[in-house]
Amino acid sequence: DAEITQSPRHKITETGRQVTLACHQTWNHNNMFWYRQDLGHGLRLIHYSYGVQDTNKGEVSDGYSVSRSNTEDLPLTLESAASSQTSVYFCASSVNSPTGELFFGEGSRLTVL
Amino acid sequence: AQSVTQPDIHITVSEGASLELRCNYSYGATPYLFWYVQSPGQGLQLLLKYFSGDTLVQGIKGFEAEFKRSQSSFNLRKPSVHWSDAAEYFCAVGGGGTDKLIFGTGTRLQVFP
């Protein structure tokens, strides 16, 4: 069955370190998204991609970057982790349609000490 | 500005009781509206979606939602709640040729036996 997987599921890191969260989907979807989930804020869009070599900033992109070298993967990198980036991160994908359903991964819980 | 408001942060109901979760949106164009559910430790799963046509839409797990343009609302309902419905529920709005959904802050549902 097609799926979307995130790794690691849990990570603890220190302030200032670079961290990469992986996202891999086998749906063959063009669109991929990274959200962060925080109490009181719901889900906020960090970065998104509509295809290979395409990346775009979301509403909370500062301190994060993504790259899209193939259809299946959209890794999220925290250049220099900060305590404010402690959060649960969700990757999602969808077909290229405004009515397309988002398929979510199970999330990656990141703690920055 | 585009936004989604879920006024109830936390709702508690007894098993077998009816449920209504509120969602109000602000969107300049014709909205595409979604309800997602998140079980503890899991990603989000689509419950139902509205694009056009009949304003009462049916979803999975016995949920339904009604689009009311005059009230800018898309409330989620279930006639009889089951203990397994305890989860967090997110309303989202999108459209206009983009898949960038805007999520509400969520409503946590607790079900007492």
Side-chain angles (χ1 to χ4, degrees):
Chain A
D1 288 343
E3 60 181 3
I4 180 165
T5 55
Q6 295 182 229
S7 63
R9 295 290 313 278
H10 300 272
K11 184 170 182 66
I12 300 174
T13 191
E14 295 177 343
T15 300
R17 290 191 178 267
Q18 184 181 78
V19 175
T20 296
L21 305 179
C23 176
H24 179 83
Q25 54 100 359
T26 59
W27 296 99
N28 200 34
H29 286 162
N30 286 327
N31 303 337
M32 295 185 73
F33 307 82
W34 274 104
Y35 290 89
R36 60 178 288 175
Q37 182 179 25
D38 304 286
L39 277 175
H41 291 280
L43 278 80
R44 292 180 292 175
L45 184 62
I46 305 171
H47 281 285
Y48 59 100
S49 168
Y50 288 147
V52 176
Q53 302 302 328
D54 176 75
T55 61
N56 306 279
K57 294 181 178 180
E59 65 174 302
V60 290
S61 61
D62 287 348
Y64 303 94
S65 63
V66 294
S67 61
R68 187 88 180 272
S69 59
N70 58 53
T71 300
E72 296 80 17
D73 298 290
L74 187 71
L76 177 71
T77 297
L78 287 68
E79 306 293 346
S80 176
S83 59
S84 60
Q85 295 176 308
T86 292
S87 185
V88 181
Y89 292 86
F90 286 97
C91 181
S93 70
S94 71
V95 297
N96 195 19
S97 162
T99 63
E101 172 184 352
L102 282 178
F103 292 84
F104 283 84
E106 293 189 330
S108 295
R109 181 176 295 276
L110 176 67
T111 302
V112 183
L113 300 176
Chain B
Q2 302 162 8
S3 66
V4 176
T5 301
Q6 294 181 247
D8 303 306
I9 296 172
H10 186 202
I11 284 182
T12 301
V13 299
S14 298
E15 191 170 20
S18 63
L19 173 70
E20 182 169 26
L21 302 183
R22 296 181 291 166
C23 173
N24 293 96
Y25 68 89
S26 173
Y27 199 80
T30 301
Y32 299 133
L33 294 156
F34 305 79
W35 275 100
Y36 284 83
V37 60
Q38 183 183 29
S39 298
Q42 301 294 313
L44 280 71
Q45 179 186 20
L46 182 69
L47 278 177
L48 48 77
K49 56 188 177 183
Y50 170 79
F51 306 134
S52 63
D54 192 346
T55 56
L56 184 63
V57 294
Q58 303 296 320
I60 62 171
K61 305 184 181 186
F63 285 91
E64 66 178 27
E66 186 172 12
F67 171 59
K68 293 185 177 180
R69 185 184 298 275
S70 62
Q71 299 177 20
S72 297
S73 69
F74 188 57
N75 294 348
L76 182 71
R77 301 194 295 249
K78 186 169 185 178
S80 178
V81 171
H82 188 263
W83 64 266
S84 60
D85 293 324
E88 187 144 19
Y89 292 80
F90 292 92
C91 182
V93 65
T98 176
D99 278 320
K100 291 184 295 178
L101 294 188
I102 300 167
F103 285 85
T105 52
T107 297
R108 181 168 298 277
L109 174 66
Q110 192 170 8
V111 181
F112 281 118

